[in-house]
PDB file of all heavy atoms in Angstrom:
ATOM      1  N   PHE A 258      -7.989  -9.318  14.505  1.00 98.00           N
ATOM      2  CA  PHE A 258      -7.280  -9.643  13.224  1.00 98.00           C
ATOM      3  C   PHE A 258      -5.882  -9.192  13.159  1.00 98.00           C
ATOM      4  O   PHE A 258      -5.535  -8.103  13.535  1.00 98.00           O
ATOM      5  CB  PHE A 258      -8.098  -9.061  12.032  1.00 98.00           C
ATOM      6  CG  PHE A 258      -7.789  -9.637  10.718  1.00 98.00           C
ATOM      7  CD1 PHE A 258      -8.207 -10.939  10.376  1.00 98.00           C
ATOM      8  CD2 PHE A 258      -6.882  -8.953   9.827  1.00 98.00           C
ATOM      9  CE1 PHE A 258      -7.795 -11.490   9.143  1.00 98.00           C
ATOM     10  CE2 PHE A 258      -6.541  -9.472   8.582  1.00 98.00           C
ATOM     11  CZ  PHE A 258      -7.062 -10.741   8.224  1.00 98.00           C
ATOM     12  N   ALA A 259      -5.027 -10.074  12.682  1.00 97.00           N
ATOM     13  CA  ALA A 259      -3.546  -9.743  12.605  1.00 97.00           C
ATOM     14  C   ALA A 259      -3.371  -8.451  11.803  1.00 97.00           C
ATOM     15  O   ALA A 259      -3.807  -8.315  10.734  1.00 97.00           O
ATOM     16  CB  ALA A 259      -2.788 -10.946  11.917  1.00 97.00           C
ATOM     17  N   GLY A 260      -2.447  -7.684  12.377  1.00 98.00           N
ATOM     18  CA  GLY A 260      -2.098  -6.404  11.683  1.00 98.00           C
ATOM     19  C   GLY A 260      -3.046  -5.254  11.925  1.00 98.00           C
ATOM     20  O   GLY A 260      -2.806  -4.195  11.266  1.00 98.00           O
ATOM     21  N   MET A 261      -4.141  -5.422  12.650  1.00 98.00           N
ATOM     22  CA  MET A 261      -5.171  -4.390  12.767  1.00 98.00           C
ATOM     23  C   MET A 261      -5.433  -4.071  14.238  1.00 98.00           C
ATOM     24  O   MET A 261      -5.324  -4.959  15.044  1.00 98.00           O
ATOM     25  CB  MET A 261      -6.391  -4.826  12.006  1.00 98.00           C
ATOM     26  CG  MET A 261      -7.445  -3.700  11.826  1.00 98.00           C
ATOM     27  SD  MET A 261      -8.534  -4.182  10.442  1.00 98.00           S
ATOM     28  CE  MET A 261      -9.202  -5.820  10.868  1.00 98.00           C
ATOM     29  N   VAL A 262      -5.664  -2.804  14.476  1.00 98.00           N
ATOM     30  CA  VAL A 262      -6.037  -2.371  15.769  1.00 98.00           C
ATOM     31  C   VAL A 262      -7.374  -1.671  15.838  1.00 98.00           C
ATOM     32  O   VAL A 262      -7.561  -0.739  15.023  1.00 98.00           O
ATOM     33  CB  VAL A 262      -4.898  -1.404  16.413  1.00 98.00           C
ATOM     34  CG1 VAL A 262      -5.231  -0.841  17.781  1.00 98.00           C
ATOM     35  CG2 VAL A 262      -3.562  -2.119  16.476  1.00 98.00           C
ATOM     36  N   LEU A 263      -8.242  -1.993  16.720  1.00 98.00           N
ATOM     37  CA  LEU A 263      -9.503  -1.242  16.880  1.00 98.00           C
ATOM     38  C   LEU A 263      -9.347  -0.093  17.743  1.00 98.00           C
ATOM     39  O   LEU A 263      -8.874  -0.229  18.917  1.00 98.00           O
ATOM     40  CB  LEU A 263     -10.566  -2.238  17.459  1.00 98.00           C
ATOM     41  CG  LEU A 263     -12.035  -1.696  17.685  1.00 98.00           C
ATOM     42  CD1 LEU A 263     -12.581  -1.457  16.278  1.00 98.00           C
ATOM     43  CD2 LEU A 263     -12.834  -2.656  18.480  1.00 98.00           C
ATOM     44  N   VAL A 264      -9.694   1.055  17.302  1.00 98.00           N
ATOM     45  CA  VAL A 264      -9.613   2.343  17.980  1.00 98.00           C
ATOM     46  C   VAL A 264     -11.058   2.954  17.883  1.00 98.00           C
ATOM     47  O   VAL A 264     -11.267   3.662  16.922  1.00 98.00           O
ATOM     48  CB  VAL A 264      -8.630   3.264  17.456  1.00 98.00           C
ATOM     49  CG1 VAL A 264      -8.474   4.593  18.255  1.00 98.00           C
ATOM     50  CG2 VAL A 264      -7.201   2.659  17.286  1.00 98.00           C
ATOM     51  N   ASP A 265     -11.900   2.588  18.813  1.00 98.00           N
ATOM     52  CA  ASP A 265     -13.332   2.941  18.667  1.00 98.00           C
ATOM     53  C   ASP A 265     -13.966   3.263  19.976  1.00 98.00           C
ATOM     54  O   ASP A 265     -14.835   2.436  20.426  1.00 98.00           O
ATOM     55  CB  ASP A 265     -13.945   1.829  17.859  1.00 98.00           C
ATOM     56  CG  ASP A 265     -15.304   2.233  17.326  1.00 98.00           C
ATOM     57  OD1 ASP A 265     -15.496   3.366  16.921  1.00 98.00           O
ATOM     58  OD2 ASP A 265     -16.172   1.307  17.302  1.00 98.00           O
ATOM     59  N   ASP A 266     -13.665   4.295  20.549  1.00 97.00           N
ATOM     60  CA  ASP A 266     -14.298   4.746  21.801  1.00 97.00           C
ATOM     61  C   ASP A 266     -14.794   6.231  21.619  1.00 97.00           C
ATOM     62  O   ASP A 266     -14.059   7.148  22.008  1.00 97.00           O
ATOM     63  CB  ASP A 266     -13.398   4.603  22.967  1.00 97.00           C
ATOM     64  CG  ASP A 266     -14.176   4.987  24.306  1.00 97.00           C
ATOM     65  OD1 ASP A 266     -15.251   5.348  24.308  1.00 97.00           O
ATOM     66  OD2 ASP A 266     -13.390   4.941  25.404  1.00 97.00           O
ATOM     67  N   VAL A 267     -15.882   6.377  21.037  1.00 96.00           N
ATOM     68  CA  VAL A 267     -16.331   7.746  20.566  1.00 96.00           C
ATOM     69  C   VAL A 267     -16.661   8.532  21.803  1.00 96.00           C
ATOM     70  O   VAL A 267     -16.561   9.805  21.734  1.00 96.00           O
ATOM     71  CB  VAL A 267     -17.490   7.677  19.601  1.00 96.00           C
ATOM     72  CG1 VAL A 267     -17.017   7.145  18.328  1.00 96.00           C
ATOM     73  CG2 VAL A 267     -18.656   6.980  20.146  1.00 96.00           C
ATOM     74  N   ASN A 268     -16.970   7.930  22.897  1.00 97.00           N
ATOM     75  CA  ASN A 268     -17.325   8.675  24.139  1.00 97.00           C
ATOM     76  C   ASN A 268     -16.074   9.372  24.687  1.00 97.00           C
ATOM     77  O   ASN A 268     -16.228  10.391  25.396  1.00 97.00           O
ATOM     78  CB  ASN A 268     -17.879   7.786  25.203  1.00 97.00           C
ATOM     79  CG  ASN A 268     -19.312   7.227  24.789  1.00 97.00           C
ATOM     80  OD1 ASN A 268     -20.113   7.944  24.210  1.00 97.00           O
ATOM     81  ND2 ASN A 268     -19.604   6.015  25.212  1.00 97.00           N
ATOM     82  N   SER A 269     -14.942   8.901  24.316  1.00 98.00           N
ATOM     83  CA  SER A 269     -13.722   9.551  24.724  1.00 98.00           C
ATOM     84  C   SER A 269     -12.895  10.150  23.564  1.00 98.00           C
ATOM     85  O   SER A 269     -11.753  10.509  23.622  1.00 98.00           O
ATOM     86  CB  SER A 269     -12.716   8.418  25.306  1.00 98.00           C
ATOM     87  OG  SER A 269     -13.297   7.847  26.444  1.00 98.00           O
ATOM     88  N   ASN A 270     -13.695  10.412  22.458  1.00 98.00           N
ATOM     89  CA  ASN A 270     -13.159  10.936  21.238  1.00 98.00           C
ATOM     90  C   ASN A 270     -11.900  10.122  20.671  1.00 98.00           C
ATOM     91  O   ASN A 270     -11.017  10.751  20.166  1.00 98.00           O
ATOM     92  CB  ASN A 270     -12.694  12.436  21.421  1.00 98.00           C
ATOM     93  CG  ASN A 270     -13.873  13.277  21.736  1.00 98.00           C
ATOM     94  OD1 ASN A 270     -15.051  12.999  21.250  1.00 98.00           O
ATOM     95  ND2 ASN A 270     -13.830  14.282  22.579  1.00 98.00           N
ATOM     96  N   GLU A 271     -12.024   8.809  20.814  1.00 98.00           N
ATOM     97  CA  GLU A 271     -10.983   8.014  20.335  1.00 98.00           C
ATOM     98  C   GLU A 271     -11.398   7.346  19.046  1.00 98.00           C
ATOM     99  O   GLU A 271     -12.361   6.507  19.042  1.00 98.00           O
ATOM    100  CB  GLU A 271     -10.563   6.888  21.357  1.00 98.00           C
ATOM    101  CG  GLU A 271      -9.874   7.559  22.604  1.00 98.00           C
ATOM    102  CD  GLU A 271      -9.431   6.485  23.627  1.00 98.00           C
ATOM    103  OE1 GLU A 271      -9.692   5.309  23.357  1.00 98.00           O
ATOM    104  OE2 GLU A 271      -8.921   6.886  24.675  1.00 98.00           O
ATOM    105  N   TYR A 272     -10.696   7.557  18.030  1.00 98.00           N
ATOM    106  CA  TYR A 272     -10.963   7.016  16.606  1.00 98.00           C
ATOM    107  C   TYR A 272      -9.658   7.144  15.853  1.00 98.00           C
ATOM    108  O   TYR A 272      -8.660   7.875  16.278  1.00 98.00           O
ATOM    109  CB  TYR A 272     -12.132   7.766  15.938  1.00 98.00           C
ATOM    110  CG  TYR A 272     -12.190   9.228  16.308  1.00 98.00           C
ATOM    111  CD1 TYR A 272     -11.290  10.101  15.767  1.00 98.00           C
ATOM    112  CD2 TYR A 272     -13.235   9.653  17.090  1.00 98.00           C
ATOM    113  CE1 TYR A 272     -11.324  11.482  16.022  1.00 98.00           C
ATOM    114  CE2 TYR A 272     -13.270  10.969  17.522  1.00 98.00           C
ATOM    115  CZ  TYR A 272     -12.381  11.907  16.963  1.00 98.00           C
ATOM    116  OH  TYR A 272     -12.467  13.239  17.202  1.00 98.00           O
ATOM    117  N   PRO A 273      -9.535   6.376  14.790  1.00 98.00           N
ATOM    118  CA  PRO A 273      -8.161   6.400  14.082  1.00 98.00           C
ATOM    119  C   PRO A 273      -7.831   7.773  13.500  1.00 98.00           C
ATOM    120  O   PRO A 273      -8.740   8.456  12.847  1.00 98.00           O
ATOM    121  CB  PRO A 273      -8.412   5.301  12.868  1.00 98.00           C
ATOM    122  CG  PRO A 273      -9.408   4.408  13.447  1.00 98.00           C
ATOM    123  CD  PRO A 273     -10.344   5.335  14.226  1.00 98.00           C
ATOM    124  N   LEU A 274      -6.638   8.156  13.671  1.00 98.00           N
ATOM    125  CA  LEU A 274      -6.117   9.362  13.210  1.00 98.00           C
ATOM    126  C   LEU A 274      -4.888   9.276  12.308  1.00 98.00           C
ATOM    127  O   LEU A 274      -4.002   8.362  12.682  1.00 98.00           O
ATOM    128  CB  LEU A 274      -5.754  10.440  14.368  1.00 98.00           C
ATOM    129  CG  LEU A 274      -6.874  10.882  15.319  1.00 98.00           C
ATOM    130  CD1 LEU A 274      -6.263  11.612  16.445  1.00 98.00           C
ATOM    131  CD2 LEU A 274      -7.893  11.697  14.546  1.00 98.00           C
TER     132      LEU A 274
END
Side-chain angles (χ1 to χ4, degrees):
F258 192 77
M261 193 157 53
V262 177
L263 181 68
V264 184
D265 196 34
D266 183 359
V267 294
N268 292 325
S269 300
N270 295 328
E271 293 182 3
Y272 32 74
L274 297 173

